[in-house]
Amino acid sequence: MERIKHYIDVSLYHVKLAVLTMLEYPANFVGWLLSNPIQFILGFATIKFVVARFGTINGWDYGHLAFLYGIAVISHAFSMIFFVQGWFMGEYVVGGDFDRYMLRPLSVLFQFFFTQFNIVGFTDLIPGVCVFAYGCHKVHFHWSIGNVMAVLLLITGATLIRGGIYIIMGTFSFWTKSRNDFAGFTQEFFDKTTMYPLSMYPRMMQIILTYIIPIGWISYYPAKDLLSGTGMGAVISLVIGVVTMTLAALFFKVGLRSYESAGQ
Amino acid sequence: MDTIVVKNLKKEYKIAQKEKGLAGAVKNLFVRKYEILRAVDDISFTIPKGEITAFIGPNGAGKSTTVKMMSGILVPTSGDILINGRNPQKDRVHVVQDLGVVFGQRTQLNWDLRLGESFEMMRHIYKIPKAMYEENLKVMDDILGIEEIINIPVRQLSLGQRMRGDLVAAMLHSPSVLFLDEPTIGLDVEGKYAIRKFIKEINRVKGTTIILTTHDLGDIEELCKRLIIINKGKIVEDGPLEELVNRIAPNRNLVVEYYDENYVEHEQAKIINVEGNIVTYQFSKKEITGAGLICDISDRAKIKDATIKEVKIDDIIRIAYRG
């Protein structure tokens, strides 16, 4: 309990530091505030174009697609706020930047993520929430207590799944000793697989993205369940998120033993 | 009880051997040859509480690797380390709670924000009680004058100021052990003076056990009673600086200036140079003291001036590195 209090205290202090840093470089933040929402709004406009042309994608109409797209972007935004560091783990490994974390009396993985919050991630939240709200309106989503709970569980689970996958991918750097910049690739892959119905992909790919790399549980399955009136998918998302994150943390711990710092 | 115990410590790295050219690069994809580099090769030593010890050695000798293993960053290939009775790999969190580490080439301060913010961050990370934090900050301000730079963003500090900041940040939680990896690297005379003064004061006031690696012989002369020289991963010398100097260079030179060219001889000193009225004697510190020799000579002839030439410490170290 004492330990949890300490970790929360450290996190909150670093939230403050992140805000102070943002205020130090306001132009940087404004830049992101403009560019990030535009990127996702344009992405959504593409869907509108496709739907206008073909009516539906795999039986999903415009409202359903907005609902799905919204969940994908919101969980992406949270994963950017809390776990974006995972993309750059290779840099830290090669540059010897884990030294500092190992010298402090806190979990290394905790410090890696929670001592440098990415406030810029909030700019992704804006288009996410807008499109999601629009989708909810279109499909007449009922905001009952159960549904609110389900959405919260689902966003938490989806964020954990994304974060866990970033950690697992980044952890390979401990052995390859390379910078392994997989940011662009991951973003592209996650976008393509979470913003559209998974059912439009080949069967083999659906199986992989359901049972091996649990990307389907980020948005597709829980959204599908919610649209048909059950929160079951959201609960499963959360469970898979917790499991993915736990496995990722254990894997990271193993990787850290092979950490070689930099220089001699 | 000894604060630091290191026993048979080894660290090996696998270094991939790459062949040159495109053909070599393709070959490297399939056949990987590794060479084992033993960065630290069976090192043992103990350090009692409150001692300041210098680790010196040429670049790549294994100093930093040893410090990184002692601070829990690197996992040793074999051997044991105990810091205050605990193993830094198995019990990292406990060990670092009572350890301060400063890397001269790297800062742990928050680059974007004012220096004071980094100190506050340490307060949260190490759970430093407010009273102790204020007290430590005050003590260190007295030595380093930290108040005058506390509101400047770290990125705008000079190297010397940043180093002062880093030292304070490492000592705010009152660790009983402090590792300093090249703390005076790149600093000007003023900067070095401030850092050395700080190290001496902290050691005196708090009894902190300090290990520092350095290439600066001034650091050693001013700070360290004990010297550990590492070369090619092995300890080649371990002992007080004075003892090392006496062993490697037991002879001293005495330069005597006479009023005229009539000089005297002495049975325990050899004349190695005569230039007009200036004569250089060489003597062994074991046989006669410098003062004794000057006394004897001035009894036998009138002398104008006498100076004892100490051996240059860099020469001693160079001889020691050669092994």
Side-chain angles (χ1 to χ4, degrees):
Chain A
M1 200 55 216
E2 191 60 30
R3 196 168 155 211
I4 294 171
K5 249 174 74 186
H6 180 206
Y7 275 55
I8 291 173
D9 172 62
V10 172
S11 306
L12 289 180
Y13 186 71
H14 282 90
V15 170
K16 184 185 155 196
L17 287 188
V19 173
L20 288 177
T21 308
M22 184 191 83
L23 295 174
E24 193 80 10
Y25 306 104
N28 184 35
F29 185 78
V30 172
W32 286 105
L33 192 61
L34 296 175
S35 68
N36 261 343
I38 289 173
Q39 177 196 342
F40 288 107
I41 297 293
L42 282 179
F44 188 62
T46 316
I47 296 183
K48 185 171 171 75
F49 173 75
V50 173
V51 177
R53 202 66 191 265
F54 303 102
T56 61
I57 295 177
N58 249 32
W60 288 59
D61 69 19
Y62 194 45
H64 291 130
L65 286 169
F67 189 81
L68 177 70
Y69 191 93
I71 290 173
V73 178
I74 290 174
S75 65
H76 166 76
F78 280 112
S79 82
M80 286 298 97
I81 294 167
F82 296 111
F83 299 117
V84 72
Q85 304 305 334
W87 281 2
F88 312 113
M89 211 185 275
E91 292 281 338
Y92 281 74
V93 170
V94 175
D97 294 318
F98 277 108
D99 288 14
R100 184 180 1 157
Y101 300 133
M102 298 187 77
L103 293 173
R104 294 178 179 165
L106 295 164
S107 143
V108 174
L109 196 58
F110 165 82
Q111 293 178 77
F112 180 55
F113 290 118
F114 295 104
T115 63
Q116 28 191 357
F117 289 98
N118 171 30
I119 295 196
V120 164
F122 279 102
T123 58
D124 286 334
L125 212 49
I126 301 164
V129 169
C130 291
V131 175
F132 185 62
Y134 177 73
C136 289
H137 168 73
K138 276 272 189 187
V139 301
H140 307 295
F141 188 66
H142 181 56
W143 284 104
S144 64
I145 292 176
N147 274 346
V148 171
M149 285 292 289
V151 169
L152 290 177
L153 293 186
L154 142 65
I155 297 293
T156 311
T159 307
L160 290 175
I161 295 173
R162 285 177 188 267
I165 293 175
Y166 300 162
I167 294 171
I168 290 170
M169 293 187 73
T171 298
F172 284 106
S173 301
F174 285 113
W175 293 284
T176 61
K177 322 270 182 227
S178 74
R179 292 203 148 75
N180 274 6
D181 184 6
F182 56 88
F185 164 76
T186 324
Q187 166 94 54
E188 191 73 22
F189 192 76
F190 274 101
D191 282 359
K192 294 249 157 67
T193 47
T194 57
M195 291 173 175
Y196 309 100
L198 201 60
S199 54
M200 68 187 222
Y201 290 108
R203 179 111 194 94
M204 196 58 209
M205 195 165 154
Q206 288 185 44
I207 292 173
I208 292 174
L209 295 183
T210 306
Y211 299 106
I212 300 174
I213 312 168
I215 289 179
W217 297 96
I218 291 177
S219 58
Y220 175 68
Y221 291 114
K224 197 172 119 185
D225 273 12
L226 272 180
L227 289 172
S228 56
T230 157
M232 203 51 213
V235 174
I236 299 175
S237 273
L238 181 68
V239 172
I240 291 180
V242 171
V243 170
T244 309
M245 187 48 83
T246 309
L247 290 176
L250 290 173
F251 187 52
F252 176 84
K253 231 178 159 172
V254 175
L256 196 60
R257 287 193 65 84
S258 295
Y259 177 60
E260 282 187 359
S261 184
Q264 271 200 15
Chain B
M1 193 185 76
D2 287 319
T3 301
I4 300 171
V5 180
V6 171
K7 236 170 115 186
N8 304 111
L9 189 66
K10 283 185 191 170
K11 178 72 185 177
E12 290 172 353
Y13 289 109
K14 266 171 117 192
I15 308 280
Q17 300 290 303
K18 306 272 188 189
E19 288 183 41
K20 68 171 184 182
L22 183 62
V26 174
K27 201 175 152 199
N28 285 334
L29 284 179
F30 301 100
V31 194
R32 291 216 170 185
K33 272 196 262 171
Y34 290 104
E35 195 173 288
I36 301 283
L37 172 79
R38 205 165 278 171
V40 173
D41 190 3
D42 202 5
I43 277 183
S44 303
F45 59 87
T46 56
I47 292 174
K49 186 171 166 25
E51 194 174 89
I52 306 183
T53 305
F55 267 26
I56 63 164
N59 290 322
K63 306 179 299 278
S64 294
T65 305
T66 307
V67 170
K68 281 176 184 168
M69 285 192 280
M70 289 195 293
S71 42
I73 294 173
L74 294 177
V75 182
T77 307
S78 66
D80 299 307
I81 303 170
L82 288 177
I83 309 285
N84 287 321
R86 291 177 200 263
N87 178 293
Q89 276 73 37
K90 291 194 190 100
D91 212 352
R92 185 184 67 81
V93 170
H94 279 111
V95 169
V96 298
Q97 180 70 44
D98 197 20
L99 175 69
V101 183
V102 175
F103 291 110
Q105 317 238 38
R106 208 168 254 247
T107 181
Q108 65 164 336
L109 306 172
N110 191 318
W111 202 247
D112 301 314
L113 303 174
R114 56 181 274 277
L115 180 60
E117 226 61 68
S118 292
F119 295 161
E120 275 293 316
M121 180 175 83
M122 295 301 157
R123 189 167 73 79
H124 287 270
I125 287 177
Y126 288 96
K127 285 194 281 185
I128 308 170
K130 192 89 181 171
M132 175 173 151
Y133 174 80
E134 304 282 354
E135 168 67 21
N136 279 344
L137 209 52
K138 199 188 151 294
V139 168
M140 292 192 272
D141 178 46
D142 288 345
I143 310 173
L144 289 175
I146 214 75
E147 280 299 332
E148 61 194 58
I149 55 172
I150 205 163
N151 287 322
I152 303 174
V154 173
R155 62 171 187 278
Q156 288 172 357
L157 295 177
S158 72
L159 183 60
Q161 292 172 327
R162 205 210 72 201
M163 202 58 220
R164 277 148 70 188
D166 259 309
L167 278 175
V168 171
M171 286 303 296
L172 280 172
H173 60 292
S174 294
S176 71
V177 181
L178 179 62
F179 294 158
L180 304 166
D181 195 15
E182 305 194 13
T184 54
I185 196 164
L187 298 187
D188 60 20
V189 183
E190 271 301 307
K192 281 182 183 171
Y193 172 77
I195 303 300
R196 287 173 190 160
K197 187 171 123 197
F198 176 82
I199 296 171
K200 267 193 267 188
E201 276 300 293
I202 282 296
N203 174 258
R204 192 180 62 83
V205 175
K206 302 202 164 219
T208 313
T209 308
I210 300 171
I211 289 188
L212 69 116
T213 77
T214 183
H215 289 293
D216 191 312
L217 303 168
D219 290 349
I220 303 168
E221 281 184 298
E222 274 195 46
L223 297 172
C224 305
K225 292 197 191 82
R226 179 176 169 197
L227 197 59
I228 294 180
I229 302 182
I230 300 181
N231 198 8
K232 294 186 184 131
K234 288 185 193 293
I235 293 183
V236 292
E237 294 287 347
D238 179 356
L241 176 62
E242 209 184 271
E243 195 186 293
L244 180 71
V245 172
N246 288 341
R247 188 156 45 74
I248 291 184
N251 296 328
R252 291 288 174 283
N253 290 348
L254 172 70
V255 181
V256 178
E257 192 181 341
Y258 291 94
Y259 281 99
D260 50 39
E261 291 182 8
N262 295 323
Y263 59 87
V264 293
E265 294 187 359
H266 192 279
E267 47 292 347
Q268 279 159 312
K270 197 172 82 183
I271 292 170
I272 55 168
N273 192 29
V274 180
E275 260 178 60
N277 61 336
I278 298 171
V279 181
T280 309
Y281 298 86
Q282 190 178 60
F283 64 99
S284 161
K285 274 177 103 174
K286 275 185 225 143
E287 290 173 24
I288 187 165
T289 61
L293 188 60
I294 296 171
C295 241
D296 286 359
I297 291 174
S298 59
D299 278 350
R300 297 174 197 179
K302 273 193 82 172
I303 64 171
K304 201 177 181 181
D305 192 20
T307 11
I308 296 171
K309 294 268 181 249
E310 280 295 323
V311 207
K312 278 206 191 110
I313 188 163
D314 351 8
D315 294 332
I316 306 277
I317 302 294
R318 225 179 41 237
I319 295 167
Y321 280 5
R322 277 193 228 126

